[in-house]
């Protein structure tokens, strides 16, 4: 039996081998998975905000901190940075009727995370981003597959 | 200036009382709209870390949710109201209001309107009590995972703090056919403003 670990809003978790990392109800937030296929070490972060400001306390709620913190944790478990690849899901725009501008944050989250991963030379090997539906994400650390479950019940593997 | 994590019993009680008055008025509006008796649960005020939100609400439930932003008269962001109907409850309510529910868009806009009316009555009651003005934005509506609907708002709050304060009450009719959850996420601006109005801070 594979153990499931819940990643809360703005948190991250890493695991090795047979484990499932899951995060529930991503709207504008982003599920960012990093994976080392050689060592079978993976991490999943539930990213809320694109970038930290100078002087903010380190937290996985910011995309830039999430990448750093997950890489460090994975390295401590024996992963090599050059082997790490990424998968991302989320960044939707949930509201049809929208009156507050900041509600469009989803798109920006996706852009920032992509350019950030480029800076780190981490390749995004698959993604399912944007759209108007919420997603729950299950990341299987034993094989690096990600199950994306939409709020309308549709599921897909990336 | 109070921060969320500094709030003590007295401050939380005050917020509970303020929210209570808001929800009381909202329940009356809902009851008039539906022509049914609506009961409200004892309001709770919870301070929680954002990453532990799944401990107090069913984050993966599919809901019909209306989100309204609140501003003070000086146009400062005071907080957000989240009116949540579980999907079967939303359906039942639309039946009561519309009779015919075949047009999905019409159903959605009816539910959004109910959310809007609940928010406005909530707002009015609080503003009245405090003798001030709170300006609600037009409603934002979505049908999705409980948490997916509000994660943009949590992100806004997360820019400033890892904690949120949640005011939570359930509204129900006698047959348990209609259920709604009213949640208020006040910003630090909001509760400091309230405490100031009530003379609780110098």
């Amino acid at each position: 039996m594979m153990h499931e670990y819940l990643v809360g809003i703005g948190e991250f978790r890493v695991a090795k081998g047979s484990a499932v990392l899951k995060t529930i109800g991503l709207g504008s937030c982003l599920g960012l998975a990093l994976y080392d296929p050689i060592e079978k070490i993976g991490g999943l972060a539930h990213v809320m905000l694109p970038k930290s400001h100078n002087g903010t306390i380190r937290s996985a709620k910011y995309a830039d901190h999430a990448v750093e913190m997950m890489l460090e944790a994975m390295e401590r478990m024996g992963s090599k940075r050059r082997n790490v690849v990424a998968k991302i899901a989320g960044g939707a725009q949930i509201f049809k009727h929208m009156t507050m501008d900041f509600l469009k944050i989803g798109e920006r989250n996706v852009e920032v995370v992509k350019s950030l991963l480029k800076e780190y030379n981490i390749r995004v090997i698959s993604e399912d981003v944007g759209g108007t539906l919420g997603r729950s994400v299950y990341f299987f650390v034993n094989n690096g597959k990600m199950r994306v479950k939409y709020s309308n019940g549709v599921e897909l593997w990336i | 200036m109070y921060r969320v994590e500094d709030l003590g019993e007295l401050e939380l009680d005050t917020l509970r009382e303020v929210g209570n008055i808001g929800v009381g008025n909202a329940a009356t509006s809902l009851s008039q709209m539906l022509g049914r008796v609506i009961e409200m649960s004892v309001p709770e005020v919870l301070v929680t870390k954002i990453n532990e939100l799944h401990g107090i609400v069913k984050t993966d439930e599919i809901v019909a949710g209306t989100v309204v932003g609140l501003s003070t008269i000086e146009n400062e962001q005071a907080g957000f109201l989240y009116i949540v109907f579980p999907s079967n409850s939303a359906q039942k309510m639309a039946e009561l209001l519309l009779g015919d529910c075949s047009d999905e868009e019409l159903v959605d806009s009816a539910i959004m309107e109910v959310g809007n009316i609940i928010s406005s009555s909530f707002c009015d009651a609080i503003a009245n009590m405090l003798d001030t003005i709170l300006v609600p934005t037009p409603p934002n509506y979505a049908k999705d995972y409980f948490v997916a609907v509000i994660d943009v708002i949590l992100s806004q709050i997360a820019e400033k703090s890892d904690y949120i304060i949640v005011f939570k009450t359930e509204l129900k009719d006698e047959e348990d056919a209609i259920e709604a959850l009213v949640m208020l996420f006040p910003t630090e601006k909001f509760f400091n403003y309230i405490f100031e109005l009530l003379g609780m801070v110098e």
Side-chain angles (χ1 to χ4, degrees), chain A residues 25-43:
Chain A
L26 296 161
S28 67
C29 291
L30 211 57
L32 163 64
L34 295 183
Y35 190 56
D36 176 344
I38 309 221
E39 299 293 334
K40 301 207 182 306
I41 295 170

Side-chain angles (χ1 to χ4, degrees), chain B residues 16-195:
Chain B
R16 186 179 298 120
E17 194 42 47
V18 170
N20 199 5
I21 285 164
V23 154
N25 203 33
T28 310
S29 302
L30 184 62
S31 154
Q32 281 166 356
M33 225 177 335
L34 300 175
R36 296 190 161 208
V37 177
I38 299 288
E39 289 162 3
M40 59 185 264
S41 69
V42 179
E44 288 177 86
V45 176
L46 309 157
V47 175
T48 180
K49 287 188 96 170
I50 292 174
N51 58 7
E52 286 159 6
L53 188 68
H54 52 82
I56 61 167
V57 290
K58 283 184 238 153
T59 47
D60 60 345
E61 190 181 9
I62 305 288
V63 301
T66 303
V67 175
V68 170
L70 307 177
S71 317
T72 63
I73 190 77
E74 291 89 17
N75 202 21
E76 288 180 307
Q77 205 159 68
F80 303 93
L81 266 171
Y82 184 24
I83 315 296
V84 190
F85 299 104
S87 33
N88 53 344
S89 193
Q91 189 63 30
K92 179 75 197 165
M93 208 167 51
E95 278 166 30
L96 285 173
L97 289 168
L98 301 169
D100 172 20
C101 289
S102 50
D103 183 344
E104 206 182 318
E105 244 174 66
L106 190 64
V107 169
D108 283 351
S109 83
I111 296 164
M112 176 171 84
E113 196 42 42
V114 175
N116 192 26
I117 289 169
I118 292 181
S119 324
S120 312
S121 357
F122 185 98
C123 235
D124 285 351
I126 292 190
N128 249 332
M129 172 204 180
L130 298 171
D131 197 17
T132 178
I133 292 173
L134 278 179
V135 188
T137 64
N140 300 278
Y141 174 82
K143 228 181 332 184
D144 213 294
Y145 290 119
F146 186 103
V147 70
V149 178
I150 45 157
D151 70 356
V152 266
I153 281 156
L154 298 175
S155 302
Q156 275 274 302
I157 296 173
E159 291 257 27
K160 296 248 171 67
S161 169
D162 285 330
Y163 290 84
I164 43 167
I165 170 159
V166 184
F167 171 87
K168 183 177 149 197
T169 318
E170 278 169 52
L171 302 178
K172 266 187 187 173
D173 73 342
E174 285 164 312
E175 298 159 21
D176 280 357
I178 306 282
E179 251 181 278
L181 185 65
V182 178
M183 294 181 93
L184 171 69
F185 301 94
T187 59
E188 286 179 354
K189 277 258 155 55
F190 181 72
F191 50 78
N192 281 292
Y193 181 60
I194 289 182
F195 298 154

Side-chain angles (χ1 to χ4, degrees), chain A residues 1 6 11 39 45 57 72 79 89-91 97 116 119 128 146:
Chain A
M1 241 294 286
L6 179 69
E11 284 184 330
E39 299 293 334
I57 300 165
E72 285 168 18
S79 174
H97 304 273
L116 203 68
E119 278 170 39
D128 178 49
M146 185 185 264

